[in-house]
Amino acid sequence: MDVTLVREPAADPSGASAVDVTRALLAAAGAEISWFEHHLVDGVVPADAIAHARRTGALFVGPHAPRAGVLPPIVQLRPVLGLYANHRPVRSLPGIPSRYEGVDILVIRETTEDIYSRHEHESVPGVFESLKVTTQAACARIARHAFEHAAREGRRRVAIVHKANI
C-alpha cells in the first residue's frame, strides 16, 4: 500500500516522533506500506503532496505547529481532496475495565459545513463570530455515507444528531 505522509518534523515536541513511532508500529504489525513523505512549507501543504495523496488514496498527517493566519493541514486538505466525513470509533477494549462493556459506536461527522464552513470574522477587536452554514445537499451526503457505511459494516442502527437548537 502506498501512503502519502505530510509532516513537519520540527513540530513534534514528544522527543520520539509520533510519525516515526506509528511507522514502526505498522511495520512491526506486518503492514507493507511504502511511505511518500512531504514536508509542510511554512505550514502549507505543498501541491505535490496533494497530487500524491490523490494518487495513493491514503494520507497520514503528522503533528504540526499552529501558525497565525494558516489553516491546519487537514483543513487545507478537506476541500481539495473532497474529504467530508470524519469517522471516530468508540469501542470497549478487551481486558480494560470500564464503566460500560461491549461499547461499539462509530460517530461520523460532516466536516465541510457547520462550524467547519470557515465563515468567520472579527466583529469588534477580540470578538470573533462564525456562521454555522448547513445545506440540504451536505446533510443528505453525510446521511447517505453513514447509512451506506453501516450497511457495509453490518450495523443495524444509525442515529442522526443535529444542533438545530443552537
Side-chain angles (χ1 to χ4, degrees):
M1 168 184 230
D2 291 343
V3 174
T4 303
L5 168 62
V6 176
R7 72 186 298 192
E8 184 177 40
D12 197 345
S14 65
S17 166
V19 171
D20 296 332
V21 170
T22 300
R23 289 169 71 168
L25 284 170
L26 289 168
E32 295 183 20
I33 297 175
S34 297
W35 296 92
F36 296 89
E37 188 167 326
H38 302 270
H39 292 173
L40 298 173
V41 179
D42 295 324
V44 176
V45 178
D48 62 330
I50 294 168
H52 200 265
R54 282 189 179 115
R55 280 195 306 276
T56 63
L59 176 66
F60 185 92
V61 179
H64 54 279
R67 286 186 169 74
V70 179
L71 295 171
I74 193 62
V75 178
Q76 296 173 44
L77 291 164
R78 282 180 187 140
V80 296
L81 296 177
L83 305 174
Y84 65 90
N86 188 352
H87 288 215
R88 295 290 173 113
V90 180
R91 292 188 186 101
S92 301
L93 298 174
I96 306 292
S98 64
R99 179 175 286 194
Y100 302 100
E101 299 296 324
V103 173
D104 183 10
I105 299 170
L106 176 62
V107 176
I108 298 177
R109 185 168 186 177
E110 205 285 336
T111 59
T112 64
E113 293 191 337
D114 190 53
I115 60 169
Y116 297 106
S117 65
R118 299 185 355 228
H119 294 291
E120 302 163 343
H121 66 278
E122 188 172 12
S123 54
V124 295
V127 177
F128 296 86
E129 297 175 326
S130 177
L131 293 175
K132 293 169 56 73
V133 176
T134 306
T135 65
Q136 182 178 358
C139 289
R141 177 179 65 182
I142 196 67
R144 189 169 32 263
H145 175 81
F147 278 97
E148 289 171 355
H149 184 81
R152 275 193 311 274
E153 297 290 316
R155 293 178 180 268
R156 298 185 330 262
R157 291 184 225 155
V158 174
I160 296 176
V161 180
H162 63 86
K163 300 182 208 175
N165 65 329
I166 302 177

